[in-house]
Amino acid sequence: MRIYRAVDYNDMSRKAANILSAQVILKPNCVLGLATGSSSLGVYRQLVNWYEKGDIDFSEVVTINLDEYAGLEKDDPNSYYRFMKENFWDHVNIKRGNTHIPDGTMAFSEMECRRYDQLIARCGGIDMQLLGLGRNGHIGFNEPGAAFDKDTHLVKLSGSTIKANMRFFGSLEEVPSRAYTMGIRSIMQARGILVIANGVDKAEILKAAFFGPVTPLVPASVLQLHNNVTLVGDEEAMSLI
Ligand code: GLP
């Protein structure tokens, strides 16, 4: 595993965006696995900035997002579809048909999960997967206790995740209780993984995930078994390492 220490959030975002843009330059038609959440916002901002300067071209890139809340319409202000559209897709020259995210409104969840797995396979798998780290160690929405051998599935969110994500919604009750997520197996099949973490509230989980035992109780700890992981964390998140 390669570890890059960044001084702050901006530095972390820049370093991570550099790694993603290197991937796009080396393989213009690469498949990027994308994440949502506050950790990734700065990365998208930086990529958009380089795109505007003419330094990076997304015209052949394919993106596959990790997860989406179940039950939210695409246009809901809190859907991950909307997050991606507003923070990334609408600002670069990516083809809309090349952007993928689970459909949170699908009534037949099993069908949606299999569609998503087949889509990942049809795209030839993921070249580089961007990952944030949940405060309880979740990756995507694979909560503590999730089996390592799952592909895309519908999960019931833990109380702590609902609480952590409440900051984006009006109240606890408005946070969806379920979400679609790529499983741990889907994530581990990516050829490269880029983890970003910032802020002091990620310090303990970062240490547990990368230097503690590999256990389903800390889903991100499975990444220790992947042979191409890069971690970029800021000083605060790295303070216990
Ligand atoms: C969310 C998302 C994850 C994200 C993580 C961290 O619940 N499902 O994909 O990486 O939690 O979020 P943040 O970056 O806002 O701390």
Side-chain angles (χ1 to χ4, degrees), residues 9 12 34-41 65-69 80 83 129-136 138-143 157 161-162 164-165 167-168 179-181 196-198 201-202:
Y9 181 78
M12 175 197 80
L34 296 182
T36 50
S38 7
S39 319
S40 61
L41 264 180
N65 264 77
L66 272 174
D67 46 13
E68 176 62 286
Y69 288 113
Y80 285 168
F83 176 101
Q129 176 67 56
L130 177 66
L131 287 182
L133 195 59
R135 283 155 189 74
N136 61 5
H138 73 224
I139 45 178
F141 268 131
N142 293 279
E143 297 281 33
L157 300 179
T161 296
I162 292 180
N165 290 355
R167 65 191 196 279
F168 301 110
Y180 285 99
T181 184
I196 48 175
N198 69 284
D201 56 337
K202 297 284 172 77

Side-chain angles (χ1 to χ4, degrees), residues 10-96:
N10 280 341
D11 188 29
M12 175 197 80
S13 306
R14 221 178 142 81
K15 283 183 163 62
N18 254 309
I19 293 167
L20 287 173
S21 61
Q23 172 68 69
V24 173
I25 289 163
L26 289 170
K27 186 178 175 189
N29 61 346
C30 65
V31 179
L32 298 179
L34 296 182
T36 50
S38 7
S39 319
S40 61
L41 264 180
V43 177
Y44 296 129
R45 216 174 290 139
Q46 183 63 73
L47 289 174
V48 168
N49 178 265
W50 285 333
Y51 164 73
E52 285 168 351
K53 284 194 193 150
D55 288 345
I56 182 165
D57 174 19
F58 292 95
S59 60
E60 292 178 61
V61 171
V62 173
T63 64
I64 302 184
N65 264 77
L66 272 174
D67 46 13
E68 176 62 286
Y69 288 113
L72 292 192
E73 294 294 329
K74 278 189 167 157
D75 284 337
D76 188 288
N78 283 305
S79 76
Y80 285 168
Y81 174 90
R82 182 93 175 252
F83 176 101
M84 291 309 301
K85 189 170 141 50
E86 289 181 355
N87 293 299
F88 189 50
W89 298 334
D90 275 358
H91 307 286
V92 296
N93 64 336
I94 194 160
K95 295 189 184 88
R96 191 44 65 83

Side-chain angles (χ1 to χ4, degrees), residues 148 207-225:
F148 284 168
K207 184 173 173 210
F210 292 101
F211 297 92
V214 175
T215 162
L217 297 177
V218 182
S221 66
V222 74
L223 300 173
Q224 293 180 41
L225 306 178

Side-chain angles (χ1 to χ4, degrees), residues 188-233:
M188 289 295 279
Q189 279 172 347
R191 289 180 277 279
I193 294 182
L194 172 60
V195 186
I196 48 175
N198 69 284
V200 69
D201 56 337
K202 297 284 172 77
E204 265 180 41
I205 197 64
L206 197 71
K207 184 173 173 210
F210 292 101
F211 297 92
V214 175
T215 162
L217 297 177
V218 182
S221 66
V222 74
L223 300 173
Q224 293 180 41
L225 306 178
H226 195 284
N227 64 6
N228 184 13
V229 174
T230 305
L231 166 65
V232 186

Side-chain angles (χ1 to χ4, degrees), residues 108-192:
F108 300 103
S109 60
E110 193 51 34
M111 223 156 93
E112 176 57 5
C113 294
R114 298 296 70 83
R115 178 192 75 84
Y116 212 62
D117 291 336
Q118 284 161 13
L119 171 90
I120 299 172
R122 227 180 21 252
C123 293
I126 293 168
D127 288 298
M128 184 161 291
Q129 176 67 56
L130 177 66
L131 287 182
L133 195 59
R135 283 155 189 74
N136 61 5
H138 73 224
I139 45 178
F141 268 131
N142 293 279
E143 297 281 33
F148 284 168
D149 63 353
K150 288 224 169 154
D151 294 314
T152 306
H153 59 294
L154 187 68
V155 293
K156 195 170 167 347
L157 300 179
S158 70
S160 74
T161 296
I162 292 180
K163 223 165 129 192
N165 290 355
M166 189 184 91
R167 65 191 196 279
F168 301 110
F169 294 79
S171 65
L172 209 56
E173 291 67 44
E174 286 172 64
V175 186
S177 57
R178 293 177 313 147
Y180 285 99
T181 184
M182 276 187 209
I184 302 268
R185 179 162 58 192
S186 342
I187 294 172
M188 289 295 279
Q189 279 172 347
R191 289 180 277 279

